[in-house]
Amino acid sequence: MSPKAVNVRVLTMDSELEFAIQPNTTGKQLFDQVVKTIALREIWFFGLQYTDSKDFPCWLKLNKKVLGQDIKKNSPQTLTFKFRARFFPEEVSEELIQEITQKLFFLQVKESILTDEIYCPPETCVLLASYAMQAKHGDFNDESHRPGSLVNERLLPKRVMEQFQLSPEEWEKRVVTWWKEHRGMLKEEAMLEYLKIAQDLEMYGVNYFDIRNKKGTELYLGVDALGLNIYDKQDKLTPKIGFPWSEIRNISFNDKKFVIKPMEKKSPDFIFYAPRLRINRRILSLCMGNHELYMRRRKADSIEVQQMKAQAQEEKMARLQERERIQAEIERRKQAEQEREAMRRKVEDLERSAADARRALEDQSRITKELEEKRKQAEEAQLRLKQEREEAEREHERMMERVRYEQEEKDKIVQEIEQARRLADQKAVEAQQKENEARELEEQLREAKLRVLQAQQHPNNHTNNNHYTEHPGEYGNPMEDEESDEEENNSSRNGRGVELLTNEYASRHEENRTTATTKDHNMKRKLEEERKSLRQQQKKAETREDKIYRDNIFDKGIDRYQTLKKIRQGTVKRRIDEFEAL
């Protein structure tokens, strides 16, 4: 009878995976199955996290059976793990190669900032929120991203939202102002820009542990990609003493006592005490993993990493070419749309011109008819005048004849003849006037006909000389487990130790780094304007972290890397003495 399989649920930052494992399945076998499923090759940053029976977060030991580890069951039939980044890179733009790796880091760091696990100043929170929106939605669009559309988005930490007298809509407006400046940026590029700013935050990638020195002073030990740092209990932003990994040759613990041996053999051991044995185990595991990655970064890339970088570069070039093709296609479509719009306006102009011409033609036709009517009336009047004149002439002749035959009535006839003559002259003048009017009407008629002919020819010219043809566009590997391969005896108080292969001359270039916002003067200026603008809306008092951050950055003028350089100055012995004196 085959052993009964156990259901396993693995929560990544953006998905939920389910597996069935056998009782003899090891942590490494489960881990390999997870990274294969999500196509992740940069496995050395990640691990599987679970909660033990005492509600402590732990990392799954890869060289042991899954069911042999103290995993708290949320349900009788299912084990739950979180797939999380365990170790952090020094420089995200150089070390995070795969797109899936960048996305997982982006989502995890964003969640840590939103939950205040990593302190971020308010003005930088607004900037990071804009990159998060670009990474999620792409370019800002006035149509799809109307005011109020981001109200349900998790844009900022609750601490920031409550600290200032701004409504969600006003916060949204501030984020959108920054978001609009990222136009044209790929979603993958926005994620990387987010991480490049986040990695400069003082708490980024730091694991904090409660420790005490020999005097019993309670302090924090910070373990990160660059080394070990000591913090005051009231200040997680500003380390007091620092030791880069290149200065450490051996780390070990015995019960609650943790011993670090420096590369300088004349220096005393760096000793501190943890409240529980399990904390020393976690510190040792983190130190081993971070130290190995620290030294690996200072060597030539392995063949595997070189291949991944080459593949990532090819994929990036392919994405850029695709983006250029899409942009060119968008421009072509935009140009075609502009041309269609211009042609539409031109056609409308021609239609208006043709309508005007038709109206003018109708007006000319009406005028022509009126003139023709007047011409006919003038001709009829002229004919009547002619007839009257002829009749007058005949009457004159009859009168003359009567004069010859009626001498006795001479005076009377002479008067009548004279009267008739005057009447005839008057009629002749009127006839001449009518004749002149008729000539003028004929001249106006000829001009009207000429204009009508020209108006009829005009639209034809437009139609014949303007042709439009529409051409559619062508749219064409993880660090090993917390323990060694030897069986762990939880009840044993014997210590463990490991000799680190350290090059004490390894580069410490991180001490001379500058933050992303310092490099970009325009961004630095806008962040300062954002900070001043927010202070005018401040409702609650600054938090302790706000005051520490402002004191470091604006009063002392030192950022994370300048602080790092400062706390590493002096001999190792002097720094250890300072630690003991705290």
Side-chain angles (χ1 to χ4, degrees):
M1 183 175 178
S2 61
K4 187 177 180 180
V6 177
N7 294 325
V8 171
R9 182 173 62 174
V10 178
L11 306 175
T12 71
M13 291 304 302
D14 63 345
S15 63
E16 181 176 320
L17 311 174
E18 292 186 356
F19 304 96
I21 64 171
Q22 300 300 320
N24 62 348
T25 299
T26 65
K28 186 175 188 309
Q29 289 172 326
L30 176 59
F31 183 86
D32 289 345
Q33 198 169 358
V34 173
V35 297
K36 182 179 180 181
T37 303
I38 63 176
L40 178 71
R41 295 180 64 186
E42 296 170 270
I43 60 175
W44 45 84
F45 292 115
F46 297 90
L48 288 170
Q49 193 177 60
Y50 65 90
T51 302
D52 67 10
S53 59
K54 296 181 181 180
D55 286 331
F56 286 105
C58 302
W59 293 98
L60 186 68
K61 300 174 182 65
L62 302 186
N63 62 328
K64 292 190 175 184
K65 294 179 180 178
V66 174
L67 300 185
Q69 303 183 46
D70 183 24
I71 303 171
K72 181 180 179 179
K73 293 185 178 180
N74 294 326
S75 65
Q77 303 299 326
T78 304
L79 299 178
T80 301
F81 297 91
K82 293 180 180 178
F83 186 80
R84 296 290 185 268
R86 188 178 179 187
F87 304 104
F88 287 74
E90 289 182 35
E91 176 52 70
V92 293
S93 60
E94 296 177 3
E95 296 179 53
L96 302 185
I97 304 169
Q98 283 186 288
E99 192 176 304
I100 178 64
T101 313
Q102 296 171 0
K103 183 178 181 181
L104 290 173
F105 267 95
F106 162 72
L107 293 173
Q108 184 169 333
V109 171
K110 179 165 73 77
E111 181 66 20
S112 296
I113 290 174
L114 291 176
T115 57
D116 260 344
E117 291 178 26
I118 297 175
Y119 169 79
C120 182
E123 64 274 12
T124 308
C125 285
V126 176
L127 172 60
L128 291 180
S130 70
Y131 280 118
M133 290 300 97
Q134 183 75 17
K136 183 176 181 179
H137 301 289
D139 288 345
F140 176 82
N141 186 293
D142 289 313
E143 292 297 324
S144 55
H145 303 125
R146 295 183 178 276
S149 61
L150 305 183
V151 170
N152 295 325
E153 297 275 2
R154 287 183 68 202
L155 296 174
L156 302 164
K158 185 178 179 182
R159 160 185 61 86
V160 175
M161 297 281 285
E162 295 177 348
Q163 191 174 357
F164 300 91
Q165 199 167 356
L166 293 170
S167 66
E169 291 77 15
E170 289 172 319
W171 280 117
E172 177 185 323
K173 186 176 180 181
R174 288 174 179 268
V175 172
V176 166
T177 300
W178 285 93
W179 185 7
K180 290 179 179 179
E181 297 192 5
H182 309 325
R183 176 166 295 278
M185 184 181 292
L186 293 174
K187 293 182 178 181
E188 299 78 13
E189 293 174 339
M191 285 188 241
L192 203 56
E193 289 300 318
Y194 185 106
L195 289 173
K196 284 162 69 174
I197 294 171
Q199 72 181 353
D200 295 333
L201 299 174
E202 285 75 6
M203 295 176 68
Y204 165 87
V206 181
N207 287 275
Y208 295 91
F209 299 95
D210 292 312
I211 63 167
R212 291 179 292 107
N213 60 9
K214 291 177 181 178
K215 289 173 60 177
T217 305
E218 293 185 353
L219 301 162
Y220 281 126
L221 171 72
V223 183
D224 64 16
L226 301 173
L228 301 175
N229 297 318
I230 305 300
Y231 296 81
D232 185 271
K233 201 68 174 174
Q234 303 299 317
D235 182 2
K236 285 187 175 182
L237 301 183
T238 318
K240 305 301 180 185
I241 303 166
F243 303 92
W245 292 118
S246 58
E247 291 183 343
I248 300 171
R249 64 181 174 88
N250 180 280
I251 51 179
S252 62
F253 68 88
N254 189 347
D255 195 10
K256 298 179 182 180
K257 180 181 179 180
F258 204 100
V259 181
I260 296 177
K261 295 184 179 296
M263 290 294 291
E264 289 183 12
K265 296 188 178 181
K266 293 182 180 180
S267 298
D269 293 341
F270 174 34
I271 300 171
F272 57 82
Y273 300 87
R276 288 182 299 275
L277 177 63
R278 68 167 62 245
I279 291 180
N280 275 341
R281 290 182 181 137
R282 289 186 62 194
I283 293 172
L284 179 63
S285 177
L286 276 171
C287 287
M288 291 168 60
N290 276 303
H291 178 273
E292 181 179 338
L293 291 173
Y294 181 87
M295 299 312 296
R296 184 193 295 182
R297 295 181 192 107
R298 283 147 182 80
K299 298 177 183 177
D301 290 336
S302 65
I303 298 298
E304 180 186 11
V305 171
Q306 291 178 31
Q307 290 174 345
M308 281 195 288
K309 285 185 175 180
Q311 181 180 348
Q313 185 65 24
E314 291 175 1
E315 292 173 352
K316 182 178 180 180
M317 291 302 297
R319 287 197 303 271
L320 289 174
Q321 291 173 356
E322 179 65 13
R323 181 174 69 172
E324 291 174 357
R325 187 191 68 77
I326 292 173
Q327 288 295 116
E329 185 65 30
I330 291 172
E331 287 300 318
R332 282 197 296 271
R333 293 187 181 187
K334 186 177 179 181
Q335 182 67 26
E337 185 63 30
Q338 290 174 346
E339 290 176 356
R340 281 195 292 270
E341 180 63 20
M343 186 56 66
R344 184 186 64 78
R345 289 195 298 268
K346 191 171 183 179
V347 169
E348 289 178 352
D349 292 341
L350 289 173
E351 289 176 347
R352 282 194 296 270
S353 298
D356 292 342
R358 282 194 299 271
R359 284 193 296 271
L361 182 60
E362 291 171 357
D363 291 342
Q364 290 298 327
S365 298
R366 178 179 53 78
I367 293 171
T368 300
K369 288 180 181 179
E370 293 176 353
L371 291 175
E372 183 69 22
E373 188 66 27
K374 289 182 179 180
R375 186 186 65 79
K376 289 180 180 179
Q377 293 174 358
E379 289 178 346
E380 291 174 355
Q382 186 179 14
L383 180 60
R384 286 194 303 273
L385 287 172
K386 182 178 179 182
Q387 292 172 349
E388 290 176 356
R389 185 175 57 184
E390 291 174 349
E391 182 64 27
E393 288 176 352
R394 287 193 296 270
E395 181 66 22
H396 179 263
E397 289 176 355
R398 286 195 298 270
M399 290 297 294
M400 290 301 293
E401 186 178 354
R402 287 177 62 186
V403 167
R404 287 192 299 269
Y405 293 102
E406 298 180 2
Q407 286 296 326
E408 62 278 9
E409 296 178 355
K410 182 178 180 180
D411 295 334
K412 181 179 179 181
I413 293 171
V414 168
Q415 292 176 357
E416 289 175 353
I417 290 171
E418 185 64 20
Q419 184 178 356
R421 185 183 62 77
R422 286 196 298 271
L423 180 61
D425 290 343
Q426 183 179 353
K427 295 289 186 180
V429 169
E430 290 177 358
Q432 187 63 42
Q433 289 176 348
K434 294 289 184 179
E435 186 177 1
N436 291 339
E437 288 179 3
R439 288 196 190 96
E440 288 175 0
L441 286 173
E442 287 179 357
E443 184 63 25
Q444 290 178 9
L445 180 62
R446 280 195 299 273
E447 290 175 357
K449 287 181 178 180
L450 180 60
R451 283 196 299 272
V452 169
L453 181 61
Q454 290 175 348
Q456 289 174 339
Q457 292 175 350
H458 180 67
N460 293 335
N461 292 337
H462 277 286
T463 304
N464 294 336
N465 294 333
N466 291 275
H467 299 280
Y468 168 58
T469 304
E470 183 173 327
H471 297 281
E474 299 179 1
Y475 306 115
N477 10 26
M479 301 310 305
E480 277 305 328
D481 51 286
E482 297 187 14
E483 308 289 329
S484 68
D485 292 338
E486 302 172 1
E487 276 304 306
E488 173 195 353
N489 183 349
N490 288 333
S491 61
S492 171
R493 315 304 275 179
N494 292 332
R496 291 189 55 211
V498 60
E499 194 76 23
L500 302 178
L501 300 176
T502 301
N503 177 5
E504 61 181 311
Y505 302 108
S507 169
R508 286 161 56 172
H509 54 266
E510 67 272 11
E511 296 175 8
N512 297 315
R513 277 175 63 175
T514 55
T515 64
T517 53
T518 301
K519 294 176 186 175
D520 190 332
H521 297 294
N522 186 46
M523 182 186 293
K524 183 179 180 181
R525 177 182 58 79
K526 290 184 177 180
L527 280 172
E528 177 62 18
E529 292 174 356
E530 188 75 41
R531 183 180 72 88
K532 291 179 179 178
S533 175
L534 284 173
R535 290 196 68 177
Q536 296 174 359
Q537 304 292 331
Q538 191 159 333
K539 179 173 63 174
K540 288 186 178 181
E542 290 183 322
T543 64
R544 181 173 60 195
E545 287 76 15
D546 289 329
K547 293 176 182 177
I548 294 170
Y549 176 82
R550 178 166 49 80
D551 182 58
N552 286 343
I553 299 297
F554 300 108
D555 295 342
K556 297 178 182 177
I558 55 174
D559 56 30
R560 178 180 187 176
Y561 306 109
Q562 292 167 329
T563 301
L564 198 65
K565 185 174 184 178
K566 179 181 177 182
I567 64 172
R568 291 177 175 182
Q569 290 176 349
T571 63
V572 175
K573 179 180 182 305
R574 184 177 71 80
R575 280 176 272 152
I576 293 175
D577 290 341
E578 288 178 5
F579 169 72
E580 297 297 347
L582 292 173

